[in-house]
Amino acid sequence: MLVMNKKNLLVTVCAALSLTAVVSSCGDKTTRSTGWEFSRNMYDPIAFNPDQPNENFKNKQTAQTPPKGTDPIGFTRFEYANTLEDYERAGREVTNPFELTQARLEKGQALFTTYCAVCHGPEGKGDGSITKDREITDSRGTRKLENFPNPPSYHKTDAANSSRGGMMADLTDGKIYHTIYYGHNSMGSHASQLSPEERWEVVMYVHELQKK
């Protein structure tokens, strides 16, 4: 009889606890605390957004124009304009600041293959895959062949001339770098794809192609 009473007592206690939990969970939710906020400034920033007014500056703007003559960190200024005159001037004045090494030459070949070979061809002959005839279908359903014009070859034996004068095989450091930086004709600028050092590594490899 004593054992039965203990069991009944245990059942009664469990039931009471369960009822308390149910009642407390159904209470007024507006009184519940959200607890402490952790790292509030991670999602409620203290800093100003660039387009916000800012009383800390005389012009009340957050985004300030950089002082004249300054360059962003990691930016290398190229002091030559995108003109034929500065292209020629770069050809006379600009030289590769990096030492030619096998590692740099291999890096230049890899970069050339990635960014240049599609037009210039893997060996610089001007026979890249984009210059091959390919069949396309226009909006009327007409099939026709289309390709991009072949760029001049870098090889001496081909006697290929640049559209800006002179043989491609004779292009200097500065002229090649200027063309990579600004692009020319159908070739767009590669300044955003290649860092200054990578551009010079491509220049190194182009000189190797010019020797063929």
Side-chain angles (χ1 to χ4, degrees), residues 77-141:
R77 186 180 294 274
F78 186 53
E79 301 288 356
Y80 296 84
N82 188 17
T83 63
L84 179 59
E85 292 74 20
D86 270 20
Y87 167 77
E88 294 291 344
R89 186 166 68 91
R92 297 188 301 269
E93 300 175 354
V94 179
T95 57
N96 197 329
F98 296 100
E99 180 184 0
L100 176 62
T101 64
Q102 185 61 31
R104 289 192 185 280
L105 197 58
E106 292 175 358
K107 178 74 176 299
Q109 181 179 9
L111 292 169
F112 183 91
T113 302
T114 300
Y115 294 101
C116 313
V118 65
C119 290
H120 290 279
E123 297 183 357
K125 295 180 180 180
D127 58 350
S129 60
I130 202 171
T131 67
K132 309 299 182 183
D133 287 340
R134 59 190 184 283
E135 188 177 86
I136 64 170
T137 303
D138 61 20
S139 58
R140 298 180 179 179

Side-chain angles (χ1 to χ4, degrees), residues 107 110-112 114-116 118 177 179-183 186-202:
K107 178 74 176 299
L111 292 169
F112 183 91
T114 300
Y115 294 101
C116 313
V118 65
Y177 188 94
T179 304
I180 294 172
Y181 189 87
Y182 287 112
S186 298
M187 173 183 166
S189 168
H190 284 63
S192 61
Q193 289 95 339
L194 299 171
S195 68
E197 183 175 353
E198 289 173 333
R199 296 170 209 156
W200 283 121
E201 288 168 341
V202 171

Side-chain angles (χ1 to χ4, degrees):
M1 187 65 180
L2 182 59
V3 175
M4 292 296 294
N5 288 338
K6 287 184 177 180
K7 288 184 177 180
N8 291 339
L9 178 61
L10 181 59
V11 172
T12 303
V13 171
C14 291
L17 291 174
S18 300
L19 180 61
T20 302
V22 172
V23 171
S24 62
S25 65
C26 297
D28 186 359
K29 293 184 179 181
T30 59
T31 63
R32 295 182 62 189
S33 172
T34 57
W36 289 355
E37 293 178 312
F38 179 73
S39 298
R40 175 72 187 178
N41 61 334
M42 293 182 67
Y43 51 91
D44 188 13
I46 299 174
F48 290 89
N49 290 326
D51 58 345
Q52 282 183 317
N54 194 323
E55 296 295 328
N56 297 299
F57 298 101
K58 290 182 178 180
N59 60 4
K60 312 301 181 185
Q61 296 178 359
T62 295
Q64 297 291 307
T65 302
K68 186 176 181 180
T70 60
D71 295 326
I73 295 175
F75 177 82
T76 302
R77 186 180 294 274
F78 186 53
E79 301 288 356
Y80 296 84
N82 188 17
T83 63
L84 179 59
E85 292 74 20
D86 270 20
Y87 167 77
E88 294 291 344
R89 186 166 68 91
R92 297 188 301 269
E93 300 175 354
V94 179
T95 57
N96 197 329
F98 296 100
E99 180 184 0
L100 176 62
T101 64
Q102 185 61 31
R104 289 192 185 280
L105 197 58
E106 292 175 358
K107 178 74 176 299
Q109 181 179 9
L111 292 169
F112 183 91
T113 302
T114 300
Y115 294 101
C116 313
V118 65
C119 290
H120 290 279
E123 297 183 357
K125 295 180 180 180
D127 58 350
S129 60
I130 202 171
T131 67
K132 309 299 182 183
D133 287 340
R134 59 190 184 283
E135 188 177 86
I136 64 170
T137 303
D138 61 20
S139 58
R140 298 180 179 179
T142 303
R143 293 184 177 181
K144 59 181 180 180
L145 296 178
E146 183 180 79
N147 62 24
F148 282 84
N150 298 72
S153 171
Y154 289 119
H155 295 192
K156 287 182 179 296
T157 56
D158 294 330
N161 292 322
S162 166
S163 61
R164 289 182 284 195
M167 291 182 58
M168 293 285 284
D170 295 330
L171 292 178
T172 61
D173 284 357
K175 287 185 176 181
I176 299 172
Y177 188 94
H178 187 283
T179 304
I180 294 172
Y181 189 87
Y182 287 112
H184 183 61
N185 291 335
S186 298
M187 173 183 166
S189 168
H190 284 63
S192 61
Q193 289 95 339
L194 299 171
S195 68
E197 183 175 353
E198 289 173 333
R199 296 170 209 156
W200 283 121
E201 288 168 341
V202 171
V203 172
M204 292 177 186
Y205 185 68
V206 170
H207 284 320
E208 293 299 309
L209 296 177
Q210 289 175 318
K211 298 175 184 178
K212 293 182 180 295

